[in-house]
């Protein structure tokens, strides 16, 4: 009998890579999606289109306990990966209420339904380096205190504590991944790395003349999402539930990513990147760099993709996709 996994957020970057990874390992993969996604499959299911027929999708809303309950009741899941969230930090400043509702209550609904129906199902919570916020020590590891700087970060701290509490109070197998920034060609367009690679490719192709960005001096520890989903799976295979930092251990600035991405296209980012205050955040996280030595030691996990390789892959993918659009075919 194959093991059965449910992924919330299967339509996102991480969900799609995780679904591929679990299928390759022989899992029966199920995904929780919003009903509205079924009405616009080309746009909303684009990252998992190539998996059609190999995964089973269930419509539910993170805002509705009964809808989550019914999905969890339907199948005897062995593992549940809770990745669904409002994950764009800037948006969480614009609408903190909906970020809190879906990220905190959504996590609580999933945990409560699991406890009621399938308490033996292993649970993964997608925690975030944004929980560290204004860092209290560097590099950050599993013992570093949290000091979140955004409603998003606060919602992830709450989710982390909820998951930990179900582990401690109800004996459930709950693991929290504390994942540092991870990206790749499937990244949403608003996140800075994808905004830069797509922007650079558009400029190269003559579709745009400039790219407007905010704080170029923020530093993050960026890895490849395909590497990071392997760690999620490994966490749930351990003898005991625990929390793990997943990171490369190397930080770079947004400016360095611009340099690399534009450089891939023989462009100088300084000619094209314009600073626009609207992309600054009311409270910034200046520096994040993770210490993943616990994951190296206990999970045998290592990242495989360097920062430069990441930029190269993303630029190449954006150039290829944009090069195929009809607008270019017309303009040569
Ligand atoms: O920003 C700066 C911005 O939006 C990175 C999410 O996956 O990782 C991600 O959160 C940095 C920030 O990601 C622009 O101020 C400059 O310092 O790509 P981002 P994030 O906020 O680090 C964590 C681990 C998560 O958990 C989150 O869900 O880049 N920045 N100029 C900009 N950022 C954006 N988005 N757009 C700009 O124009």
């Amino acid at each position: 009998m194959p093991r059965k996994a449910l992924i919330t957020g299967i339509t996102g970057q991480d969900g799609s890579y995780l679904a591929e990874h679990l299928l390759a390992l022989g899992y029966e993969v199920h995904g929780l999606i919003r009903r509205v996604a079924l009405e616009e499959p080309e746009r909303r299911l684009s990252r998992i289109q190539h998996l059609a027929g190999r995964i089973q999708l269930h419509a539910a809303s993170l805002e509705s306990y009964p809808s989550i309950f019914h999905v969890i009741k339907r199948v005897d899941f062995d593992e549940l990966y809770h990745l669904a969230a409002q994950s764009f930090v800037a948006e969480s400043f614009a609408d903190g209420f909906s970020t809190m509702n879906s990220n905190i209550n959504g996590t609580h609904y999933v945990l409560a339904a699991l406890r009621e129906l399938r308490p033996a199902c292993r649970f993964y919570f997608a925690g975030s380096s944004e929980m560290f916020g204004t860092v209290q020590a560097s590099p950050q590891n599993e013992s570093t205190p949290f000091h979140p700087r955004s409603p998003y970060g606060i919602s992830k701290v709450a989710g982390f504590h909820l998951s930990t509490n179900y582990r401690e109070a109800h004996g459930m197998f709950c693991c929290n991944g504390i994942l540092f920034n991870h990206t790749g060609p499937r990244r949403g367009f608003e996140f800075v790395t994808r905004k830069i690679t797509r922007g650079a490719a558009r400029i190269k192709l003559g579709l745009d003349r400039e790219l407007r960005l905010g704080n170029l001096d923020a530093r993050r520890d960026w890895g490849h999402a395909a590497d990071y989903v392997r760690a999620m799976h490994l966490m749930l295979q351990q003898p005991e539930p625990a929390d793990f930092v997943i990171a490369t251990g190397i930080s770079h600035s947004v400016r360095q990513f611009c340099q690399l991405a534009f450089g891939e296209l023989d462009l100088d980012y300084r000619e094209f990147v314009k600073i626009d205050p609207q992309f600054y955040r009311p409270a910034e996280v200046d520096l994040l760099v993770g210490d993943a030595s616990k994951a190296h030691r206990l999970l045998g996990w290592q990242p495989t993709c360097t920062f430069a390789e990441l930029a190269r892959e993303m630029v190449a993918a954006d150039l290829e996709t944009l090069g195929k659009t009809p607008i270019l075919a017309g303009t040569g």
Side-chain angles (χ1 to χ4, degrees):
M1 276 278 281
R3 289 180 72 73
K4 299 183 188 70
L6 176 63
I7 304 173
T8 75
I10 194 168
T11 58
Q13 168 188 258
D14 293 4
S16 65
Y17 281 122
L18 180 63
E20 282 171 11
H21 183 58
L22 296 180
L23 283 171
L25 293 173
Y27 275 70
E28 182 179 303
V29 176
H30 296 251
L32 195 145
I33 59 167
R34 277 180 269 202
R35 186 159 297 285
V36 64
L38 296 169
E39 287 163 20
E40 275 187 289
E42 297 80 15
R43 192 165 72 83
R44 294 183 188 259
L45 301 181
S46 62
R47 294 188 184 92
I48 52 168
Q49 239 163 12
H50 62 296
L51 303 178
R54 300 176 61 206
I55 55 177
Q56 296 174 50
L57 300 177
H58 307 268
S61 163
L62 275 189
E63 283 154 31
S64 152
Y65 178 73
S67 75
I68 292 169
F69 185 91
H70 285 303
V71 174
I72 293 178
K73 194 171 179 193
R74 224 172 275 159
V75 182
D76 189 10
F77 296 112
D78 300 293
E79 297 172 12
L80 193 155
Y81 296 86
H82 181 44
L83 313 184
Q86 193 304 96
S87 64
F88 188 40
V89 174
E91 168 59 23
S92 81
F93 284 108
D95 183 359
F97 293 95
S98 51
T99 301
M100 295 284 181
N101 283 340
S102 52
N103 294 7
I104 302 177
N105 292 339
T107 302
H108 200 180
Y109 296 155
V110 171
L111 282 163
L114 267 191
R115 181 186 168 215
E116 181 75 23
L117 297 163
R118 313 210 175 278
C121 176
R122 296 184 169 204
F123 175 82
Y124 172 83
F125 174 68
S128 161
S129 51
E130 281 295 302
M131 301 189 302
F132 295 123
T134 302
V135 296
Q136 308 295 300
S138 254
Q140 297 82 54
N141 64 23
E142 294 79 5
S143 314
T144 307
F146 298 143
H147 185 132
R149 292 273 283 172
S150 63
Y152 170 80
I154 295 166
S155 76
K156 286 290 175 178
V157 171
F160 176 97
H161 287 309
L162 274 168
S163 167
T164 306
N165 187 244
Y166 271 73
R167 178 166 78 207
E168 293 174 356
H170 308 301
M172 286 168 58
F173 195 107
C174 298
C175 292
N176 299 304
I178 307 176
L179 271 55
F180 282 60
N181 292 56
H182 45 288
T183 184
R186 296 184 194 171
R187 191 59 153 148
F189 296 126
E190 290 175 300
F191 297 94
V192 80
T193 47
R194 186 71 195 281
K195 188 172 168 185
I196 293 167
T197 60
R198 191 159 183 269
R202 286 181 64 85
I203 289 168
K204 182 73 181 176
L205 294 168
L207 296 169
D208 282 334
R209 293 219 194 114
E210 62 174 35
L211 175 64
R212 305 188 83 81
L213 295 172
N215 178 12
L216 300 189
D217 297 314
R219 296 184 74 87
R220 292 288 185 277
D221 177 337
W222 277 287
H224 197 301
D227 275 342
Y228 285 37
V229 300
R230 286 191 289 107
M232 298 176 185
H233 172 258
L234 288 168
M235 284 179 216
L236 296 198
Q237 314 314 310
Q238 297 310 298
E240 298 296 333
D243 307 327
F244 292 91
V245 158
I246 301 299
T248 69
I250 305 170
S251 89
H252 293 95
S253 65
V254 174
R255 186 184 304 282
Q256 284 172 304
F257 194 83
C258 287
Q259 224 159 12
L260 276 175
F262 279 80
E264 280 296 317
L265 300 168
D266 297 321
L267 299 173
D268 183 342
Y269 81 96
R270 289 171 296 188
E271 287 174 34
F272 304 101
V273 170
K274 303 282 177 285
I275 301 303
D276 186 334
Q278 71 162 303
F279 296 113
Y280 274 78
R281 294 179 181 172
E284 177 64 288
V285 171
D286 298 318
L287 163 75
L288 289 172
V289 59
D291 167 9
S293 49
K294 181 178 174 187
H296 300 161
R297 204 171 60 249
L298 297 182
L299 306 180
W301 178 85
Q302 291 287 346
T304 65
C305 182
T306 66
F307 186 63
E309 287 165 350
L310 197 50
R312 191 171 313 132
E313 180 186 342
M314 291 176 70
V315 169
D318 275 318
L319 201 58
E320 197 198 328
T321 315
L322 287 167
K324 282 186 197 148
T325 57
I327 186 168
L328 280 172
T331 55

